[in-house]
Amino acid sequence: MAMKNKWMSTVASIWIQCTSGSLYTFSFYSSTLKTSQNYDQSTLDTISVFKDFGANSGVLSGLLYTAVASPSSSVTFRGRKGGPWIVLFIGAIQCFIGYFLMWLSVTGSINRPAVPVMCVFMLLAAHGVTFLNTANVVTAVINFPNQSGTIVGIMKGFLGLSGAILLQVYQTVFNTGPTHYILMLSLLPLLNTLLLMSSVRPFDRSEIDEKRNLNSLSLFSVIIAAYLFFIIIIQQAVTLSLPVHIVIFSGLVILLASPLYVAVKPRSTQNFQETDTTQLLDNVSSNQDFLEEHNKNLLQALCTVNFWCLFLTTVTGMGTGLATVNNLAQVGESLGYTSSETTTLVSLWSIWNFIGRFGAGYVSDHFLYKKKWARPVFIAITLALMSVGHCVIASGVPGALYVGSILVGVFYGSQWSLMPTIASEIFGVVHFGTIFNTITIAGPIGSYVISVRVIGYIYDSEADRGATEYCTGTHCFRLSFLIMAFSTFVGFIVAMGLFLRTRRFYEQIVLRRDCS
């Protein structure tokens, strides 16, 4: 970590992202939380919504980043210049406290907390993740302003993969039950972040070969995702012994170390073009007619139609996606899937999530600069296909949950790279962390309505109708997923409106890029 350049910062951020996706494994330990605390499905969904609110309420992390970690910040802490490390440290501490208190509750080490108190534990753990994610994503965008879609896709992609990575760590080291998994979630992200946080920092210079080196990072990320995919499939097919688990995990560790190659290689071929911070922050603006759209603060952004278009598409896209992953295990149980199969579904969700996050960022960059397609059109496309995925799950036919979870997982993940990238392009990156984290609040709003008021209500009603504690059959979730399909279709219409509004703006971005 002695090397101080944007590539080492990027690698450190990637590694922190690899242990920051605990929220995507909620389905893995939710049954333990439900039985140990005697919750019904609606109560469990309420707690999951607090998880979503915490994970998507990153306004504080955005404001803190602007105050202490932006390149122009002069804040010091005990004689040390402020930076993203402060945001990362605060986030890691929150994650530890939230999950550790949850583990104490599940094990009975403390008296069973009231539901509102457990919601606070979950909210705190999830809120800490926003600090980790904000520090890594905003720093990456500042370091690579000309490749914002690709770098956001890489960062968000590894966050999506982290669910599968965390489960691999657990299965190799612990594998004694979901209770110990919660303890691992309290310790591993904390230790990993403390080790790497000093290397994450913004750099106010650009390189000629940035695109080629980012392509190398993209290749490594795809290889890691493919490796995890085959591991999950093999584990589903056969039972592996502990020595085999160790060998497989060792291979994963080696692959996760591979991005270091990119961090080391540029040092012998660097060709820097010095720029000042203001030039970097304004790099996406194209001419005077469009400058007013850039570098808005939160209040200014709130007064624009574009902000609320992004907000509404996030309500429908991320909201229904969060509701799906939170209830994936319960949907599997109602359709007769075994616990092993539902665990596989949760693990594979991380792979589909990664494909969407990475693919949408990389592909939208390509079509923006090569074909001059405005980036919001990809939000419209992904929401339309996400609606199809919800309909597939609602059908309840054999194998529909696998196919539907692939479609929903991929296109839900796409929202996580498209929305922040579009926000940075439309509103600038000076207050980027605050603005995109404000928009993400829309996700848990949609998740609350769908999870508690739709899925939880319909599920409990069907269970009461059958005079049983658990609902079994396609009728348990069919109506809920049809409602989600309609919601994402509405989001598609809104996204098309945003596309039409920003077409000329994106044409100017392309012209600026072609002339630079």
Side-chain angles (χ1 to χ4, degrees):
M1 294 301 166
M3 293 165 41
K4 295 181 178 179
N5 58 49
K6 66 167 66 179
W7 299 106
M8 195 66 250
S9 172
T10 302
V11 172
S13 292
I14 285 173
W15 287 344
I16 293 175
Q17 295 289 83
C18 285
T19 58
S20 300
S22 57
L23 305 177
Y24 298 109
T25 62
F26 177 76
S27 292
F28 179 70
Y29 61 86
S30 61
S31 58
T32 297
L33 189 63
K34 182 178 181 179
T35 55
S36 67
Q37 308 299 303
N38 293 326
Y39 294 151
D40 59 18
Q41 186 62 34
S42 293
T43 302
L44 185 66
D45 283 333
T46 300
I47 293 174
S48 73
V49 166
F50 273 83
K51 169 183 70 67
D52 297 338
F53 268 107
N56 296 281
S57 301
V59 177
L60 290 179
S61 64
L63 292 172
L64 179 63
Y65 190 98
T66 300
V68 305
S70 63
S72 58
S73 174
S74 59
V75 174
T76 59
F77 182 77
R78 292 188 177 181
R80 181 180 177 183
K81 189 180 185 303
W85 70 271
I86 297 176
V87 184
L88 290 168
F89 177 76
I90 293 175
I93 294 299
Q94 289 183 71
C95 288
F96 168 75
I97 294 174
Y99 279 118
F100 190 71
L101 291 174
M102 195 183 306
W103 174 73
L104 291 176
S105 303
V106 171
T107 58
S109 300
I110 60 176
N111 292 331
R112 192 174 74 185
V115 173
V117 177
M118 182 63 78
C119 289
V120 171
F121 294 167
M122 181 62 76
L123 179 71
L124 187 62
H127 193 244
V129 173
T130 68
F131 283 73
L132 304 179
N133 189 49
T134 297
N136 293 322
V137 171
V138 178
T139 301
V141 169
I142 291 175
N143 285 337
F144 302 98
N146 291 331
Q147 305 294 338
S148 56
T150 300
I151 193 61
V152 170
I154 290 172
M155 289 298 158
K156 290 291 189 177
F158 273 101
L159 182 65
L161 277 181
S162 62
I165 293 172
L166 286 170
L167 287 174
Q168 289 301 316
V169 175
Y170 163 75
Q171 291 172 352
T172 303
V173 180
F174 296 100
N175 203 22
T176 54
T179 300
H180 288 88
Y181 180 73
I182 299 174
L183 177 61
M184 188 192 81
L185 294 182
S186 70
L187 297 175
L188 183 58
L190 172 67
L191 298 176
N192 190 42
T193 302
L194 292 178
L195 177 65
L196 299 168
M197 64 184 186
S198 62
S199 295
V200 180
R201 44 186 299 200
F203 290 85
D204 58 348
R205 56 188 180 182
S206 59
E207 299 178 15
I208 292 178
D209 293 332
E210 283 184 356
K211 178 61 175 175
R212 185 179 66 182
N213 290 317
L214 284 175
N215 285 341
S216 297
L217 280 179
S218 299
L219 177 61
F220 289 136
S221 65
V222 170
I223 292 173
I224 293 169
Y227 184 77
L228 282 168
F229 174 78
F230 285 113
I231 288 175
I232 294 169
I233 296 300
I234 291 172
Q235 289 174 339
Q236 172 65 25
V238 298
T239 301
L240 303 179
S241 62
L242 179 59
V244 176
H245 270 295
I246 293 174
V247 171
I248 290 175
F249 181 70
S250 298
L252 178 60
V253 171
I254 293 172
L255 287 176
L256 289 174
S258 60
L260 271 176
Y261 168 78
V262 177
V264 175
K265 181 182 177 182
R267 297 192 63 81
S268 61
T269 59
Q270 282 174 345
N271 192 347
F272 291 119
Q273 298 173 325
E274 297 294 335
T275 58
D276 57 35
T277 302
T278 303
Q279 184 180 8
L280 278 175
L281 297 181
D282 290 338
N283 202 33
V284 293
S285 61
S286 53
N287 57 34
Q288 190 62 37
D289 293 337
F290 290 87
L291 271 175
E292 62 181 4
E293 291 292 332
H294 286 273
N295 296 329
K296 292 184 180 295
N297 60 35
L298 178 59
L299 291 178
Q300 292 170 330
L302 285 169
C303 296
T304 66
V305 175
N306 292 340
F307 177 92
W308 292 107
C309 285
L310 279 176
F311 192 89
L312 289 174
T313 59
T314 304
V315 168
T316 59
M318 293 186 188
T320 60
L322 287 169
T324 301
V325 68
N326 288 340
N327 292 277
L328 201 56
Q330 283 72 33
V331 175
E333 289 175 1
S334 70
L335 295 176
Y337 288 74
T338 65
S339 59
S340 175
E341 289 173 329
T342 54
T343 300
T344 300
L345 282 169
V346 174
S347 296
L348 286 175
W349 178 274
S350 294
I351 306 299
W352 316 139
N353 205 355
F354 162 80
I355 292 173
R357 290 170 185 243
F358 168 74
Y362 189 89
V363 171
S364 64
D365 260 2
H366 172 79
F367 279 91
L368 173 63
Y369 296 122
K370 299 296 184 182
K371 305 294 184 180
K372 298 179 174 56
W373 287 23
R375 207 184 300 269
V377 74
F378 287 95
I379 287 189
I381 293 171
T382 55
L383 285 174
L385 294 173
M386 198 172 176
S387 181
V388 175
H390 289 310
C391 290
V392 171
I393 296 176
S395 70
V397 300
L401 188 56
Y402 281 102
V403 176
S405 65
I406 292 174
L407 291 173
V408 176
V410 169
F411 300 117
Y412 161 74
S414 300
Q415 312 303 311
W416 278 108
S417 62
L418 290 172
M419 184 276 288
T421 306
I422 293 171
S424 72
E425 290 167 341
I426 294 177
F427 304 114
V429 299
V430 172
H431 301 280
F432 167 52
T434 306
I435 292 173
F436 101 78
N437 275 307
T438 301
I439 296 174
T440 58
I441 295 174
I445 291 176
S447 176
Y448 171 77
V449 174
I450 295 296
S451 293
V452 178
R453 300 302 179 185
V454 177
I455 294 179
Y457 175 79
I458 293 175
Y459 180 92
D460 289 337
S461 297
E462 293 294 338
D464 290 341
R465 185 178 302 174
T468 59
E469 183 179 357
Y470 299 100
C471 180
T472 303
T474 58
H475 62 283
C476 302
F477 291 96
R478 173 176 290 161
L479 179 58
S480 299
F481 278 93
L482 290 176
I483 293 173
M484 287 193 280
F486 175 76
S487 299
T488 49
F489 182 76
V490 172
F492 159 76
I493 296 174
V494 175
M496 286 301 298
L498 179 63
F499 163 66
L500 295 175
R501 286 182 53 82
T502 58
R503 242 185 341 180
R504 181 167 173 258
F505 169 72
Y506 273 95
E507 288 174 358
Q508 297 297 320
I509 289 181
V510 173
L511 290 174
R512 169 83 177 225
R513 174 63 178 268
D514 290 343
C515 294
S516 63

